[in-house]
Amino acid sequence: MSEPVFEEIELMAVVPDNMIGERLDVAAAQLFDSYSRGALQGWIKEGKLLLDGKKEKPKIKVEPGQTLTLSAVLEADDRWLPEPMELDIVYEDDHVIVVNKPAGLVVHPGAGNSTATLINGLLHHAPEISALPRAGVVHRIDKETSGLLMVAKSLKAHKSLVEQLQEKTVFREYQALAVGGIKLDFTIDAPIARHPTQRVKMAIVDEGKPAVTHISIEKRYQHFTWIKAQLETGRTHQIRVHMAYQGYPLVGDSVYGKPYFPKGATPELRSALQQFKRQALHAFALGFVHPETQEFCSFEAPLPEDMQLIIQRFDEDPGEN
């Protein structure tokens, strides 16, 4: 197994006008959004994240024009263990892996999920990623969301992919099934943060992190719409929260929506909806600049069988076309 390699972080950002009066840790979480608020708070307290060159407390208020500088080291996590796992590898070379994650598989080990996660399987498949921060995983998708993820296999690749995510140049497009008849394409620009009272949920919150989702219609049905959602940002539960906020929750989303069975639906369609136990969301397309060749790479993963079945039932239902 490789010796641990630690990622040296050197970042700078200027506080924009719309962050006037924000806490330093809140502003940092928005400006350096590839890192958790907990990690950023720790770096502030340790003097590794400075405001105008000075060590400050996380709660101090920031002003437009002030400069945040981050100089820290992100260490690899050696608590995660490799486990044999069948993986759907879409692409792999010496620098990156693109994997198609099935619904039901957790990405990162954590409370209640210390084993049998995607990272455990990736560590078995490519032991060298154990030396990288977050085992090379630079972004994640929800447990019950299927689709494409990119994983770094080298420190150079990790830095490059993180920077591309920060610069919003990674192309990420999802396919989803929404409840409701959407008439036109639209863009949702609404900030997202942890729900103020229901901590397992996210919500639209004025002081939340900026979040932008572009929605286009793939096919309309009478009570449902098959859509594509392109992420400009990558917040937790972003598409699910944004669609529910617009009044079009995703099929099967028990957190931000509720079961819906249209009047007059065929028994086959009703049964398919009853048996669909996850949000109908699939990370369909992924594109990024290759860290080594500097060429733009793009990948697609076909819709999983459960989403294909629902769409087939919509197409077969006379009341749904």
Side-chain angles (χ1 to χ4, degrees):
M1 188 172 294
S2 305
E3 290 297 318
V5 178
F6 305 124
E7 180 184 2
E8 296 181 0
I9 305 166
E10 298 288 344
L11 296 172
M12 185 274 289
V14 177
V15 178
D17 292 342
N18 64 354
M19 288 188 189
I20 183 171
E22 289 278 20
R23 287 172 52 118
L24 174 57
D25 56 351
V26 173
Q30 297 185 40
L31 295 171
F32 305 130
D33 59 9
S34 290
Y35 306 101
S36 70
R37 185 170 173 182
L40 292 164
Q41 286 175 330
W43 289 330
I44 292 170
K45 294 174 183 177
E46 294 168 7
K48 297 175 180 177
L49 199 165
L50 305 176
L51 180 65
D52 283 341
K54 298 179 181 178
K55 181 180 179 180
E56 301 284 3
K57 294 182 178 180
K59 65 181 180 181
I60 192 172
K61 306 297 184 181
V62 300
E63 297 293 334
Q66 289 185 301
T67 301
L68 277 66
T69 52
L70 174 59
S71 180
V73 173
L74 192 63
E75 299 181 2
D77 193 324
D78 59 3
R79 297 171 298 170
W80 301 339
L81 300 176
E83 296 178 38
M85 183 181 299
E86 185 175 343
L87 299 173
D88 183 3
I89 303 294
V90 176
Y91 174 83
E92 182 176 10
D93 59 24
D94 291 339
H95 306 278
V96 295
I97 300 172
V98 177
V99 60
N100 182 19
K101 186 190 82 69
L105 181 63
V106 175
V107 174
H108 283 84
N113 293 290
S114 60
T115 61
T117 71
L118 179 64
I119 279 185
N120 297 118
L122 286 167
L123 284 167
H124 184 270
H125 174 77
E128 62 268 32
I129 67 174
S130 65
L132 298 175
R134 306 185 189 93
V137 175
V138 296
H139 66 125
R140 70 180 72 187
I141 55 180
D142 299 337
K143 174 183 177 182
E144 297 301 341
T145 298
S146 56
L148 297 175
L149 284 168
M150 56 184 179
V151 182
K153 293 180 68 177
S154 66
L155 185 60
K156 177 181 179 180
H158 189 272
K159 287 183 176 180
S160 173
L161 296 178
V162 168
E163 287 172 359
Q164 290 181 56
L165 284 166
Q166 290 175 334
E167 294 166 2
K168 301 180 178 64
T169 58
V170 175
F171 180 78
R172 287 173 289 173
E173 186 173 73
Y174 289 67
Q175 293 196 16
L177 292 167
V179 176
I182 302 173
K183 303 302 182 185
L184 299 170
D185 297 350
F186 60 92
T187 293
I188 310 164
D189 185 349
I192 292 175
R194 187 69 57 184
H195 194 287
T197 58
Q198 302 177 55
R199 305 306 291 172
V200 298
K201 297 177 64 173
M202 307 300 288
I204 303 300
V205 180
D206 288 342
E207 62 271 21
K209 294 182 179 180
V212 180
T213 309
H214 305 285
I215 303 298
S216 60
I217 296 168
E218 192 73 4
K219 189 170 183 179
R220 298 183 183 91
Y221 299 95
Q222 184 175 348
H223 301 286
F224 301 90
T225 310
W226 178 11
I227 62 169
K228 287 185 178 179
Q230 183 181 339
L231 290 182
E232 188 171 312
T233 55
R235 310 303 175 205
T236 301
H237 298 177
Q238 179 172 317
I239 296 171
R240 299 165 63 191
V241 172
H242 272 172
M243 291 303 292
Y245 176 70
Q246 291 292 312
Y248 305 112
L250 300 188
V251 169
D253 193 339
S254 60
V255 176
Y256 300 102
K258 58 183 179 180
Y260 175 71
F261 305 101
K263 185 177 180 180
T266 64
E268 291 80 9
L269 175 58
R270 187 176 184 88
S271 175
L273 290 169
Q274 287 175 330
Q275 293 175 30
F276 200 90
K277 300 298 184 182
R278 69 173 182 101
Q279 64 266 8
L281 183 62
H282 176 66
F284 166 73
L286 176 66
F288 56 88
V289 174
H290 192 281
E292 184 67 22
T293 67
Q294 298 304 303
E295 296 179 354
F296 188 80
C297 305
S298 60
F299 307 93
E300 293 184 356
L303 278 177
E305 186 176 352
D306 58 351
M307 288 181 65
Q308 290 185 38
L309 178 61
I310 288 285
I311 290 172
Q312 180 182 340
R313 291 291 178 259
F314 287 163
D315 289 333
E316 293 172 350
D317 190 327
E320 290 301 312
N321 294 297

